[in-house]
Amino acid sequence: MFDDIRPYRDDEVVKVIESLINEKGLQASIASLKMPRLYQSLPALACSIVKWSLKFRAQKFHSIDEIQMEVAKYLHHLIKNSTAGFSFSGIDNFDNTKPALFISNHRDIVLDVALVNLALYKSGISTVEAAVGDNLLHQPWVADLMRINKSFIVKRSAESKRAMLNASKQLSAYIHDTVANRKQNIWIAQREGRAKDGIDKTNAALISMLLLNKDKQTPIADYLAELNIVPVSISYEFDPCDSDKAIELAEKEATGSYKKQEGEDLKSITQGLVGQKGRVHIEFCQPIIGDYADSKAIAAAIDKEIISNYKLYDSNLVAHAALNQQDTDNSMLAQLNKRMENLTAEQQHWLLTMYANPVIAKQTL
């Protein structure tokens, strides 16, 4: 029932890894990133080196947990080199002996869920199965790479309304079965696509999808108790992709649309991972329990938790002050100006706006 979307299991690891090692697209992607000069001049040699390296390193992987342990090592290294400190709190806000459906704001394609996982891992709690949209999985091997690291597929490219409804029903059933029956934590973003403008708002359609699997006789309160929704608020002092997001937002404002360049998602993933983020904080919020009228009411409750627990940094406060022409911290303003030096006036306005919007959201709670 779920074989086309579920993560891979331990008994599938060796076969999938073998397939990935022989995948030319993966070899080329790693070679171009790790040894760009050699790849440019001698691509076949560079890919051969990558294949040999993957084969050597992959010998120790026979289970999903072993892969996750390796990912955790990489994350520790990444946090050390690309942040000015990572903190988390709120683990005591929910019963972590029960599986949960974590719903977080969405700022970074890969890092959001990776940081949630790191916080859980450090707290001795089982890591999540993570939702990933098929719009990011342009090649089958990319899907394999995600599914071998506890990701499940969200079908967003169905061609008809009927196909989309069937995909939504399958996803709803999968999420409920995973949390309520298989007792496995899940993570999903509060909306499709990153909040490029800094406005963290849960899409009510996401909640409607979660409720598709609920039968008519089951009260919403009972179904929410089974899903155990725990909102998560993720705060970045700086966004490594802020300039790119500002350019996109300005173009959308000017022309009404924005067309992604080839490889833009991969660039955003890489930049989000390795770019400097300043301080990063994750807050696990109070679970969403009780009786709600509908999906919109549940989405609003999630928003309230995420916004009220969002950690404001000087980057947010100074950007808000600058937009309102108020006196502010000159050292932080200088840092923001440095990030904007190659942007037009319209793009600069959008960059400041994305940092200021969390301040506005808190003021209007």
Side-chain angles (χ1 to χ4, degrees), residues 83-355:
T83 78
F86 169 61
S87 59
F88 63 90
S89 55
I91 293 288
D92 294 338
N93 284 334
F94 62 98
D95 181 358
N96 52 58
T97 63
K98 287 171 55 181
L101 169 55
F102 297 104
I103 299 181
S104 81
N105 54 336
H106 193 24
R107 300 299 182 85
D108 186 272
I109 295 173
V110 171
L111 202 59
D112 291 345
V113 64
L115 292 173
V116 169
N117 263 341
L118 185 60
L120 294 174
Y121 175 77
K122 285 187 167 190
S123 304
I125 301 169
S126 173
T127 56
V128 302
E129 285 188 8
V132 58
D134 63 1
N135 56 303
L136 295 172
L137 311 176
H138 302 302
Q139 302 291 336
W141 64 264
V142 181
D144 284 345
L145 202 59
M146 300 301 285
R147 292 174 72 189
I148 206 170
N149 189 33
K150 288 182 78 172
S151 291
F152 60 94
I153 310 301
V154 177
K155 297 175 184 174
R156 291 179 177 148
S157 52
E159 294 181 357
S160 68
K161 285 186 178 179
R162 180 181 289 275
M164 185 59 77
L165 178 59
N166 288 336
S168 295
K169 286 180 175 178
Q170 181 193 34
L171 182 61
S172 182
Y174 177 77
I175 289 173
H176 180 264
D177 179 66
T178 300
V179 176
N181 300 327
R182 290 177 46 229
K183 309 299 183 187
Q184 164 66 51
N185 290 325
I186 273 187
W187 171 89
I188 194 165
Q190 68 179 166
R191 54 180 278 182
E192 178 184 344
R194 293 168 291 165
K196 298 184 180 80
D197 56 6
I199 297 176
D200 298 318
K201 189 165 180 61
T202 304
N203 187 351
L206 168 72
I207 309 303
S208 296
M209 177 277 292
L210 293 174
L211 297 179
L212 278 175
N213 192 60
K214 181 184 80 67
D215 61 54
K216 290 180 181 178
Q217 287 73 38
T218 304
I220 283 182
D222 292 353
Y223 199 72
L224 287 177
E226 290 177 13
L227 287 177
N228 193 25
I229 295 174
V230 176
V232 182
S233 189
I234 308 175
S235 315
Y236 297 93
E237 185 175 17
F238 296 108
D239 184 338
C241 300
D242 53 10
S243 292
D244 293 332
K245 289 179 180 178
I247 291 167
E248 178 179 338
L249 291 165
E251 186 167 328
K252 275 185 179 176
E253 183 182 48
T255 68
S257 65
Y258 174 80
K259 185 172 174 59
K260 284 184 181 179
Q261 303 295 313
E262 187 177 345
E264 191 167 330
D265 283 335
L266 183 59
K267 180 193 169 193
S268 295
I269 289 171
T270 305
Q271 183 67 13
L273 286 172
V274 302
Q276 292 300 313
K277 291 165 276 288
R279 289 168 293 172
V280 182
H281 181 74
I282 288 185
E283 185 73 25
F284 292 91
C285 310
Q286 296 288 342
I288 303 301
I289 55 175
D291 198 18
Y292 290 87
D294 53 26
S295 297
K296 287 183 180 178
I298 296 169
I302 293 170
D303 291 346
K304 186 176 181 181
E305 285 294 319
I306 288 175
I307 292 166
S308 62
N309 286 286
Y310 190 93
K311 185 178 179 67
L312 295 178
Y313 292 106
D314 284 348
S315 53
N316 306 111
L317 300 170
V318 168
H320 183 263
L323 283 175
N324 290 281
Q325 299 178 333
Q326 298 167 345
D327 289 337
T328 187
D329 182 321
N330 288 330
S331 62
M332 176 53 71
L333 187 58
Q335 289 187 62
L336 289 173
N337 284 333
K338 179 76 174 169
R339 303 179 81 84
M340 299 190 295
E341 59 186 3
N342 296 318
L343 302 180
T344 65
E346 292 79 10
Q347 292 163 356
Q348 289 179 11
H349 178 81
W350 272 111
L351 187 140
L352 290 174
T353 299
M354 74 175 70
Y355 281 106

